[in-house]
Amino acid sequence: MSDAEGQAFSRRSHLYGDGLFETIRVHRGRLCFWESHYFRLMSSMRILRMDIPASWSPEDMEAELHSYLPDTTGDYRLRLAVWRDGGIGYAPNEQTVDYAVHVTPLGDTGYPHPLKTLRVDLFQEHKKAPGLLSTLKASQSALYILAAQFALDQGLDDAIVLSTENRMLETSRGNLFVLQGTQLITAPLAAGALRGVIREQVLRLAPGLGLFVKEEALSPFAMLDADEVWMTNAIDGISVVAHYRKSQYGSAQAERMQNALRATSLF
């Protein structure tokens, strides 16, 4: 094992999952919804009692992340991972943090368009408990990995994660929204839903599109009465669930929301 590999495997993010990450869509040099990503990261670091370096201002961090981009013409997935320093043992022997940036191209897709369509089902082998830690983008992602693997094994695109009370929270890829008429419903953070950046944007933009937002953890039976079902994340914006078991759903309102997201993030 090289020194570099040894250092990597001695990180607390590897040893204990003691870290966080942000996945950011980059479109032609612009970090989409950067302010929301930044403040979520800062809030999450405080929840995990991580020291925030004095140099990590929004402007300085944005400039630093830009330096990792190969150009300002394409679309990229930028993943910023942050972890606490310190050695073996649950109690860290220092409080400084370190980070790594990974950039991968997304291809010539433009900012998310057209809408991705998904086939999904419920992931019931493991459930997600409520609590503040459940809302974080934490390095320890076993639940989402298992849900994604379940989807692959079943020939699906994604799987819906349930709470310990058997209510729908999200999917392995992002937040879940159910549209019934003009009522747009998503699980509340208090129930354990991920504090998603695009979730935040959708909640903000919905009233302007004539949609009434309700935060409520839904029974899977709500899928029977849904007109549309959305999955939201930073890379794809809005994806639509086209098929859930024998049910099929539309996408007209999802298209409107995707256009609103596109306009908000780019101009």
Side-chain angles (χ1 to χ4, degrees):
M1 181 182 294
S2 69
D3 288 343
E5 289 172 331
Q7 291 172 6
F9 284 107
S10 67
R11 293 172 182 166
R12 291 180 62 84
S13 57
H14 285 78
L15 295 170
Y16 304 111
D18 188 8
L20 300 158
F21 69 95
E22 289 289 325
T23 303
I24 303 168
R25 176 105 189 193
V26 182
H27 177 68
R28 297 180 180 176
R30 181 185 178 94
L31 276 61
C32 298
F33 303 112
W34 163 242
E35 184 175 284
S36 293
H37 282 288
Y38 174 81
F39 285 111
R40 179 174 67 172
L41 177 63
M42 296 298 104
S43 173
S44 300
M45 290 178 69
R46 291 189 181 97
I47 290 169
L48 291 188
R49 297 179 178 270
M50 290 180 172
D51 283 357
I52 299 173
S55 60
W56 283 20
S57 70
E59 298 78 16
D60 289 343
M61 285 198 74
E62 185 175 18
E64 172 72 10
L65 295 178
H66 269 117
S67 71
Y68 290 91
L69 300 176
D71 59 61
T72 58
T73 60
D75 278 49
Y76 295 93
R77 178 199 303 265
L78 187 151
R79 189 182 191 275
L80 168 64
V82 178
W83 61 89
R84 193 192 329 257
D85 288 326
I88 297 291
Y90 288 132
N93 55 27
E94 56 184 292
Q95 293 299 325
T96 57
V97 297
D98 204 348
Y99 70 96
V101 177
H102 298 87
V103 177
T104 52
L106 290 172
D108 188 19
T109 60
Y111 185 68
H113 185 79
L115 291 176
K116 288 186 177 180
T117 57
L118 309 173
R119 299 179 66 92
V120 307
D121 205 340
L122 303 178
F123 177 63
Q124 303 186 69
E125 294 176 12
H126 303 280
K127 310 294 173 63
K128 191 179 185 186
L132 192 57
L133 295 180
S134 294
T135 68
L136 307 182
K137 293 282 285 185
S139 299
Q140 201 293 98
S141 304
L143 177 63
Y144 299 114
I145 293 169
L146 291 173
Q149 184 62 55
F150 165 82
L152 287 174
D153 292 344
Q154 299 299 315
L156 303 169
D157 302 299
D158 205 348
I160 297 172
V161 174
L162 301 175
S163 72
T164 50
E165 296 181 343
N166 290 316
R167 296 294 188 265
M168 299 189 300
L169 288 179
E170 57 213 21
T171 80
S172 72
R173 297 184 184 183
N175 290 101
L176 186 72
F177 286 83
V178 173
L179 183 67
Q180 297 175 341
T182 59
Q183 190 170 77
L184 188 62
I185 309 168
T186 193
L189 301 183
L194 178 70
R195 183 185 169 190
V197 164
I198 302 300
R199 176 187 187 275
E200 174 186 319
Q201 304 303 322
V202 168
L203 294 179
R204 180 177 62 84
L205 293 168
L209 299 179
L211 302 178
F212 301 93
V213 173
K214 184 176 182 180
E215 293 186 66
E216 175 182 272
L218 293 172
S219 162
F221 289 110
M223 299 286 278
L224 300 177
D225 299 321
D227 297 305
E228 297 185 21
V229 181
W230 308 349
M231 186 280 293
T232 66
N233 65 27
I235 298 302
D236 297 319
I238 307 289
S239 296
V240 293
V241 173
H243 300 276
Y244 166 75
R245 298 184 176 177
K246 295 182 179 180
S247 298
Q248 299 184 41
Y249 307 101
S251 62
Q253 296 298 330
E255 289 276 6
R256 295 179 66 220
M257 181 61 74
Q258 186 82 314
N259 288 334
L261 283 172
R262 186 180 297 113
T264 300
S265 66
L266 299 183
F267 301 104

